[in-house]
Amino acid sequence: MSLLTLIILLPLATAGLILAVPRNFRFGIRMLALASSALTMLLSLLLAARFDQAPEVDGFRFVQEWAWLPSLGIQFKLGVDGLNLGLIVMGAIVAFAAVCAAWEIRSERDKEFYVLLQVMAAGVLGAFASIDLFFFYFFHELALVPTFIMIGVWGSGPDKNYAAFKITLYLTAGALIALVGLILLYVQSGAKTFDWVALAKAVQAKPIPSGEQSTIFGLLLFGFGILVSLWPFHTWAPLGYGAAPTPAAMLHAGVLKKFGLYGLIRVGLPLLPEGAREWMPVLAILCLGNILHCGWVAMRQKDLGQLIGHSSVAHVGFIFLGIASLSIAGVAGAVMVMVAHGLLAALSFSLHGYFRHHVGSTDMTQLGGLLARMPLIGTLLIMAMMAGCGVPGFANFAGEALVLFGAWKTMPWFVVAAAWGALIIGAVYMLRGIRSILHGPVPAGFTSASDASLWRGFPMILLVACLLLLGCWPRLLLDRVRPGVERAVRIAGFQPQPGESRGRPGIGVRLPSLPGTEPRLAAQ
């Protein structure tokens, strides 16, 4: 059994063990979940450490497969390349931090909560590790169902039930649209398999007609887009995350939401290149809606949870911009931002949960002066806000800079608008949040607010350390991302322009036909 298989099966096995533990053994249940998530995180780090030495099969490492339904071409097949390695490691780290954050939750249904949390962790890790598109989709649904239940049962706030209903409606619709696209891809490819490697070889040998590619890519774009909160289908995200229990918000916003973005890069670009070219101008316009509209709405929020939710949706726009650039630099930057955004979203919602649990309010108009009473949490909040604004030194800066460089040659005005949104709008809501919560006099009702202990603050410190590590040493991830991105771009037929080095992520590798730009398609 490979390391990758262990990483997915360990949370599932832990969920089964917790079911067998008596309900009144609450400490034992929590320790079991904590030990399992810590071991999963260590195994993912070991996977990353051994990545370069593992033998490569069809571009993937740690490949393991078992036939499941041979008559339909469905197999349980796992593998790692540059596109998903960072997401798997990030997902395991966020899952560990989410279990640590769950320590504060007290409920008569602790047992069910930790079972659902472990199932959710297994689902998100399995979705990113699956090479077979059937299990890629299956694991996503496995993680999605606990999200709905946890918001409905353990959520908080007056809009809890409405948030659970809305997020269920939106995400179910998005998942169904994406499923139709995947089934059409299966049919049109003629490969009679869901194996991504076999599908890639089939469409390279006999490309899908342009009209069908456009239809399938459109379904995947809007199906995955709804799952990712692509503007204007984003309204479920701030509401759902504001009402969700902290661990569920950390795992969903941090990790599971990357499923749709990863799907576009893994499936849409290499297997449907003509469809991608046709839809990229639309995606480029919609991603500006994320960056500008959602950033503007974030500035107007009075609740910390809503501010974090809208700013999180705004940052997703940079990932879409990197994908829309159709360049190696842009797509590599998008993968970098996906990892950075996952760590930052988990950190931000962990801080939001701390304020909700220990201060009793997240209304920024009622808070103030908490930096003096909570120096550790206040410092972590400042660092999270700085990372969200793309301040140099954090992983977000490295990824967003790469996205902007990758998109510059083809979409200069889009890049200018996106940079303005990040620098100006982002700085305004960051400074407003810091001033409202951390500075000024302490309101009478919050004089007893206390700082986090080292144990409670440890998962947040871990997330900040990861952001700083990748920000100061981005090659740690980018050197492993590059081969996977180059392979996806090569399969799609997006060739580098003359004079560009293939040894590192380049700029403007393949240029889409955007409004007001010259199409510069390299000969294939």
Side-chain angles (χ1 to χ4, degrees), residues 204-358:
Q204 275 189 295
K206 185 181 179 183
I208 299 171
S210 298
E212 283 76 2
Q213 282 198 40
S214 179
T215 302
I216 298 170
F217 191 89
L219 289 167
L220 295 182
L221 174 61
F222 287 103
F224 288 143
I226 293 171
L227 297 177
V228 182
S229 64
L230 174 65
W231 184 86
F233 311 105
H234 67 284
T235 55
W236 61 267
L239 187 65
Y241 296 149
T246 300
M250 291 171 68
L251 264 177
H252 193 281
V255 190
L256 189 58
K257 206 163 79 166
K258 308 302 177 295
F259 170 82
L261 298 159
Y262 174 69
L264 283 178
I265 297 174
R266 172 69 77 196
V267 181
L269 296 188
L271 303 186
L272 305 160
E274 294 301 323
R277 290 190 188 100
E278 190 168 332
W279 281 100
M280 280 307 127
V282 176
L283 179 59
I285 293 170
L286 294 182
C287 79
L288 280 190
N290 277 75
I291 297 170
L292 300 179
H293 173 78
C294 297
W296 180 263
V297 174
M299 283 198 307
R300 309 288 297 175
Q301 297 305 311
K302 296 178 181 178
D303 183 83
L304 177 62
Q306 293 297 308
L307 186 152
I308 293 172
H310 283 92
S311 64
S312 173
V313 174
H315 295 152
V316 167
F318 277 94
I319 306 173
F320 281 121
L321 182 64
I323 296 172
S325 74
L326 294 181
S327 67
I328 291 177
V331 177
V335 176
M336 183 80 180
V337 177
M338 286 163 66
V339 174
H341 181 274
L343 297 168
L344 176 61
L347 171 64
S348 300
F349 283 108
S350 181
L351 287 164
H352 171 254
Y354 187 87
F355 280 108
R356 185 167 60 186
H357 188 80
H358 291 274

Side-chain angles (χ1 to χ4, degrees), residues 135-206:
F135 280 97
F136 165 70
Y137 186 85
F138 166 81
F139 276 114
H140 173 260
E141 295 303 295
L142 184 68
L144 208 52
V145 174
T147 308
F148 303 149
I149 299 174
M150 292 168 85
I151 294 176
V153 177
W154 289 276
S156 59
D159 297 327
K160 177 184 80 170
N161 293 330
Y162 176 66
F165 172 75
K166 190 169 185 176
I167 196 172
T168 303
L169 195 65
Y170 267 77
L171 298 190
T172 302
L176 285 176
I177 294 171
L179 178 61
V180 173
L182 293 176
I183 292 174
L184 279 178
L185 174 62
Y186 171 87
V187 173
Q188 292 293 335
S189 69
K192 296 182 179 179
T193 179
F194 284 96
D195 181 358
W196 184 88
V197 175
L199 282 170
K201 289 178 180 176
V203 298
Q204 275 189 295
K206 185 181 179 183

Side-chain angles (χ1 to χ4, degrees), residues 29-39 96 99-100 103 114 118 455:
I29 290 172
R30 290 172 184 160
M31 287 304 297
L32 193 58
L34 185 64
S36 170
S37 61
L39 183 56
F96 170 71
V99 172
C100 292
W103 200 266
Y114 281 100
Q118 291 298 315
W455 156 246

Side-chain angles (χ1 to χ4, degrees), residues 51-63 80-81 483 487:
F51 177 76
D52 292 330
Q53 287 75 39
E56 188 174 294
V57 180
D58 292 324
F60 290 92
R61 303 172 194 271
F62 301 101
V63 175
V80 182
D81 67 353
R487 191 159 62 100

